[in-house]
Amino acid sequence: NRVDIYDSSTDQWSTALLSLSRSHVVAATVGTKALFAGGKTGSSSYSSAVDIYDSSTGQWSTASLSIARYVLTATAVGTKALFAGGKSDTSSFSNRVDIYDSSTGQWSTASLSVARYYLAATAVGTEALFAGGYDGSSHRNTVDIYDSTTGQWSTSTLSVARRNLAATTVGTKALFAGGKTGSSSYSNRVDIYDS
């Protein structure tokens, strides 16, 4: 449950503790808050815990995801941090999206178009994108797109269905790279979305 904190203004390290020891935690930053959500606490025990660090006060608080899960993904856009998908028990996959709004401190939920885990997320412009993943029987090329200005969702597709891909953003482009396309097949494909 250890958190190592690096302060670039002082070039110093400090430590803190999450409320619960767990692996497969995902993180997103919005406003002055860093959120650490979900994870795995045992061989088949999943967590709904959300630990929230406020950099303006140095204080920690907690919240809960609407469904306990791990191997979910996270990103932030505008004033919202989004935690999407994941595995909710040994045989169930989640389409749940938990949304934290830093301007109000309130949580809401939405749904991905397909329940899946091992998906990737990034944000570009006013949009958060959730791409690829695995639904328990097949790899997905699905991309769910959340528009933070309208609150609306739309979908698109990757050129190759895959999971365990990487995502990042530069300028107006979101990039989704690599991934696993089968039990022993891997991809070198990069899908580039220009917002």
Side-chain angles (χ1 to χ4, degrees):
N1 62 345
R2 179 65 58 93
V3 182
D4 290 288
I5 304 169
Y6 175 72
D7 188 330
S8 63
S9 67
T10 62
D11 194 31
Q12 298 295 310
W13 287 88
S14 60
T15 60
L17 297 176
L18 296 175
S19 61
L20 180 68
S21 297
R22 57 202 195 269
S23 67
H24 297 87
V25 178
V26 296
T29 300
V30 61
T32 62
K33 295 182 172 66
L35 296 89
F36 303 88
K40 190 173 184 180
T41 60
S43 61
S44 59
S45 299
Y46 310 130
S47 176
S48 64
V50 181
D51 291 277
I52 305 170
Y53 173 73
D54 189 328
S55 65
S56 66
T57 64
Q59 298 299 305
W60 287 85
S61 60
T62 58
S64 294
L65 298 174
S66 59
I67 298 174
R69 56 202 197 272
Y70 85 117
V71 289
L72 62 161
T73 193
T75 193
V77 63
T79 62
K80 295 178 174 69
L82 298 94
F83 303 90
K87 193 172 184 181
S88 53
D89 62 43
T90 56
S91 61
S92 297
F93 310 102
S94 180
N95 67 349
R96 184 63 55 90
V97 183
D98 288 284
I99 304 170
Y100 172 76
D101 190 329
S102 65
S103 68
T104 64
Q106 299 299 306
W107 288 85
S108 60
T109 60
S111 297
L112 297 173
S113 61
V114 177
R116 58 201 195 272
Y117 69 124
Y118 290 131
L119 62 165
T122 192
V124 61
T126 61
E127 296 173 318
L129 296 90
F130 303 89
Y134 186 70
D135 66 9
S137 60
S138 61
H139 294 81
R140 305 297 307 199
N141 66 352
T142 309
V143 182
D144 289 281
I145 304 170
Y146 172 74
D147 188 322
S148 64
T149 59
T150 65
Q152 299 299 305
W153 289 82
S154 60
T155 59
S156 188
T157 55
L158 298 172
S159 60
V160 175
R162 57 202 195 269
R163 65 174 173 165
N164 300 103
L165 60 164
T168 194
T169 297
V170 61
T172 62
K173 295 178 173 67
L175 297 89
F176 299 90
K180 193 171 184 180
T181 58
S183 60
S184 59
S185 303
Y186 302 90
S187 177
N188 63 352
R189 183 64 56 93
V190 182
D191 287 284
I192 304 171
Y193 172 73
D194 192 331
S195 64

